[in-house]
Amino acid sequence: LATISAANFSVDLLPLFVGNVVIKEIRLEHPKVYLETLSGNRNNWTLDIQSDKEDTEKEEKDDKGKSKSSMHLEVQNFLIEEGLISMTEGNDSKTFEDINLRASLDSLEGPFDLEGSLSTLNIPMDFKGHIAAFDKTMPLEFEIHAFKQSIQLSGDYTMDKGSFLGNLKLRGTGDEIAKLSPNLPEGLRQDYKVTSNISYDGQSLQLSKFQGI
């Protein structure tokens, strides 16, 4: 599922004395991740988040029945250098390479913030995102920039179903798209802005309620 050339990390020692873990930095060099969609709406990356959370919530009780405090984990800097992600579904595969990422995690429950760059189909792009909480349903926001085009995605991702429901915003200029497709009609070579509802049930993608200029 994954390989890595080297990993380095540093920990703040003082918080350990009060039962907290503060990781100053985790650095992964040349990590490679291979994701595969299997038959029967299965895959090799979905984790049983809800089950893990229920186990975590079964905290020990003291003599008075009060919950003891759980350990706090914070990651101040999570860095990926020259990473690769390969996604395979049947005979179809996509590769994202030259991944450089900087992220931070306030706790095991979230929030999680990230920004970075990657390349796919020889197209370089920048991205940033925010995941409000790690749970069965995860509220998230992502923004991608490539060829002076902007894609903004916000909504809720459901882990066990692999589904998403939210909003999509596209903004850019047709002049840049025309560099990739010289036969683009002149009437489409202009600035544009499109918004839409978006839903994905793990198998099919649907867009609705289009608005654009």
Side-chain angles (χ1 to χ4, degrees), residues 58-84:
K58 293 179 181 178
E59 299 175 339
E60 296 181 3
K61 305 287 184 177
D62 60 19
D63 294 338
K64 295 182 180 179
K66 296 180 180 179
S67 297
K68 295 182 179 180
S69 60
S70 58
M71 181 185 69
H72 173 76
L73 172 65
E74 177 184 351
V75 180
Q76 294 179 345
N77 283 292
F78 177 74
L79 305 173
I80 290 178
E81 297 180 347
E82 299 299 323
L84 178 145

Side-chain angles (χ1 to χ4, degrees), residues 30-182:
H30 305 287
K32 298 180 179 180
V33 179
Y34 302 91
L35 307 178
E36 184 176 1
T37 299
L38 308 172
S39 60
N41 199 28
R42 298 177 297 117
N43 55 60
N44 71 340
W45 71 85
T46 298
L47 303 176
D48 192 354
I49 298 295
Q50 186 63 23
S51 177
D52 291 343
K53 183 181 179 183
E54 290 174 355
D55 291 340
T56 302
E57 289 175 347
K58 293 179 181 178
E59 299 175 339
E60 296 181 3
K61 305 287 184 177
D62 60 19
D63 294 338
K64 295 182 180 179
K66 296 180 180 179
S67 297
K68 295 182 179 180
S69 60
S70 58
M71 181 185 69
H72 173 76
L73 172 65
E74 177 184 351
V75 180
Q76 294 179 345
N77 283 292
F78 177 74
L79 305 173
I80 290 178
E81 297 180 347
E82 299 299 323
L84 178 145
I85 297 176
S86 175
M87 304 175 67
T88 301
E89 182 175 2
N91 295 324
D92 184 29
S93 68
K94 300 180 180 65
T95 300
F96 301 91
E97 53 191 356
D98 297 328
I99 300 174
N100 293 284
L101 171 73
R102 178 182 295 274
S104 63
L105 175 68
D106 283 1
S107 73
L108 290 174
E109 292 77 29
F112 178 68
D113 292 286
L114 71 158
E115 62 179 335
S117 61
L118 57 82
S119 176
T120 182
L121 300 176
N122 293 320
I123 299 176
M125 58 185 67
D126 299 322
F127 62 87
K128 63 180 179 180
H130 172 77
I131 299 175
F134 291 110
D135 207 338
K136 184 176 180 180
T137 299
M138 301 192 303
L140 56 83
E141 298 176 359
F142 278 95
E143 186 171 350
I144 301 172
H145 296 271
F147 281 105
K148 297 183 180 180
Q149 318 300 309
S150 171
I151 302 174
Q152 295 179 323
L153 188 67
S154 62
D156 295 326
Y157 176 73
T158 303
M159 286 289 295
D160 57 352
K161 297 179 180 179
S163 62
F164 179 81
L165 181 64
N167 300 296
L168 175 68
K169 295 181 180 180
L170 306 176
R171 179 179 300 185
T173 173
D175 286 338
E176 293 296 324
I177 298 178
K179 294 178 181 179
L180 299 176
S181 179

